Amino acid sequence: MKRFALALAALALTSTAACAQTAPGAAHPAGGHGHVHADFDSGRFHVRVEGEGRDIILIPGLTSSPEVWEPLVERLEGDWRVHILHVQGFAGAPAKDNAEGPVSAPVAEDIARYIEEQGLEDVVVIGHSMGGTIAMMLAARHPDLVDRLVVIDMIPFMGNVFGGANATPESVAPIADQIAAGMVNSTPEQWRASSTASITGMVQTESLRAGPIEDSVNSDPVVAGHAMRELIVTDLRPELASITAPTEVIYVTFNGPGMSPEVTDAIYAASYANLEGVALKRIDDSAHFIMLDQPDALAEAINAFLD
């Protein structure tokens, strides 16, 4: 088990500084791209809206822009009104209220307010990586607002990646502080180098890496560092039982020594043991950005779950 924990830690040290995900650049301006920006006052995120039909909220991960969701949006079956978040401080968006302190928990609370103020009902929420953490927070803390939940390539306690099976938020706090400080204090050159290295490991398809790399480079290292610390020390496992929405977790095999599909399956099963009825689905031949590496397989899994 220690060997597995060390492998997970190695994975996270690339995946975390890298949860950097995205496609071509910062959010497009409203109009001319088939979407508008929702009339919603928040210093945590802004929302691009497109289409008509049932409401679905898409939450990108650390340093991502909304473009990361384009392959999935193109493949969704049925009529959907898609609400895609752009978190402040990521992919060129000004930091605003995310300039200090935690990011995921406040974003989750503002999504709840967004759903209520916009009058959305029977909402499907899909989150990737850090977006998956935010989606779980929303579904656990506001179960009446989420009709279906999809988490993509994220476990409920990243502290296990850094501190092993017996980790606690307290035990991993020192390493979380160290990682956050390294990100916050990065020079522009260091930030670009780390973004390039991490995205290379997170996107298997070489031709699709340039956009996510630039989105990471164009993100605020301070916001990213604070968000990373929060992810490492937040243990959502005790809250999973509060989620009432049918939930699907889609993931890829951990990339590290001693890792295999079977070991990864066991880790995910243990991580989500408190979530009754959860559907766990592994997608092979993909890195962290499943929507880029395996868009057809991801869409097939999500369409079947939402059918």
Side-chain angles (χ1 to χ4, degrees):
M1 180 57 71
K2 184 176 180 180
R3 180 185 178 191
F4 294 154
L6 290 173
L8 280 173
L11 167 74
L13 288 170
T14 51
S15 154
T16 0
C19 272
Q21 334 155 28
T22 320
H28 298 303
H33 293 275
H35 71 264
V36 296
H37 285 160
D39 183 13
F40 179 68
D41 184 17
S42 172
R44 297 292 179 176
F45 59 81
H46 56 277
V47 187
R48 128 184 346 184
V49 184
E50 56 187 74
E52 295 292 337
R54 187 178 173 191
D55 292 301
I56 186 168
I57 295 176
L58 302 177
I59 312 171
L62 193 75
T63 75
S64 279
S65 77
E67 277 74 28
V68 74
W69 291 114
E70 288 180 357
L72 175 62
V73 172
E74 293 170 357
R75 291 166 172 81
L76 286 174
E77 296 176 354
D79 296 324
W80 294 94
R81 180 167 58 168
V82 181
H83 308 254
I84 310 179
L85 267 65
H86 190 157
V87 176
Q88 301 302 143
F90 295 160
K96 294 190 175 181
D97 290 353
N98 292 332
E100 297 181 1
V103 177
S104 292
V107 167
E109 290 305 307
D110 257 14
I111 297 175
R113 183 167 63 86
Y114 176 79
I115 292 172
E116 292 175 329
E117 291 185 7
Q118 300 292 315
L120 308 186
E121 297 180 353
D122 300 326
V123 180
V124 173
V125 179
I126 302 178
H128 175 233
S129 196
M130 178 182 126
T133 293
I134 295 170
M136 284 186 276
M137 288 177 169
L138 175 66
R141 299 169 188 178
H142 302 275
D144 57 319
L145 299 182
V146 179
D147 186 65
R148 296 233 171 180
L149 172 66
V150 179
V151 176
I152 301 175
D153 215 39
M154 192 60 174
I155 55 178
F157 181 38
M158 281 195 66
N160 287 143
V161 175
F162 297 92
N166 296 320
T168 65
E170 293 75 22
S171 71
V172 296
I175 192 170
D177 291 340
Q178 181 181 3
I179 290 172
M183 297 171 72
V184 167
N185 297 317
S186 294
T187 65
E189 294 76 18
Q190 291 170 333
W191 186 246
R192 174 171 286 277
S194 65
S195 295
T196 301
S198 17
I199 291 296
T200 297
M202 296 295 106
V203 180
Q204 183 170 284
T205 309
E206 185 175 356
S207 62
L208 298 178
R209 292 172 182 163
I213 288 172
E214 286 307 305
D215 280 336
S216 182
V217 170
N218 291 328
S219 294
D220 188 323
V222 174
V223 177
H226 293 167
M228 193 66 252
R229 185 195 185 281
E230 180 188 13
L231 288 175
I232 296 172
V233 301
T234 298
D235 187 357
L236 293 178
R237 291 173 299 177
E239 296 189 53
L240 294 179
S242 298
I243 296 176
T244 58
T247 301
E248 180 176 50
V249 178
I250 303 171
Y251 59 94
V252 300
T253 299
F254 286 123
N255 180 21
M259 289 294 136
S260 67
E262 294 75 20
V263 169
T264 301
D265 291 346
I267 291 171
Y268 267 87
S271 296
Y272 284 92
N274 290 339
L275 182 50
E276 184 176 357
V278 64
L280 301 175
K281 180 170 180 59
R282 173 171 40 83
I283 290 180
D284 295 324
D285 195 24
S286 176
H288 185 55
F289 289 88
I290 309 175
M291 63 281 287
L292 300 182
D293 286 332
Q294 291 291 345
D296 291 334
L298 179 67
E300 181 181 0
I302 290 175
N303 284 324
F305 178 68
L306 299 181
D307 187 9

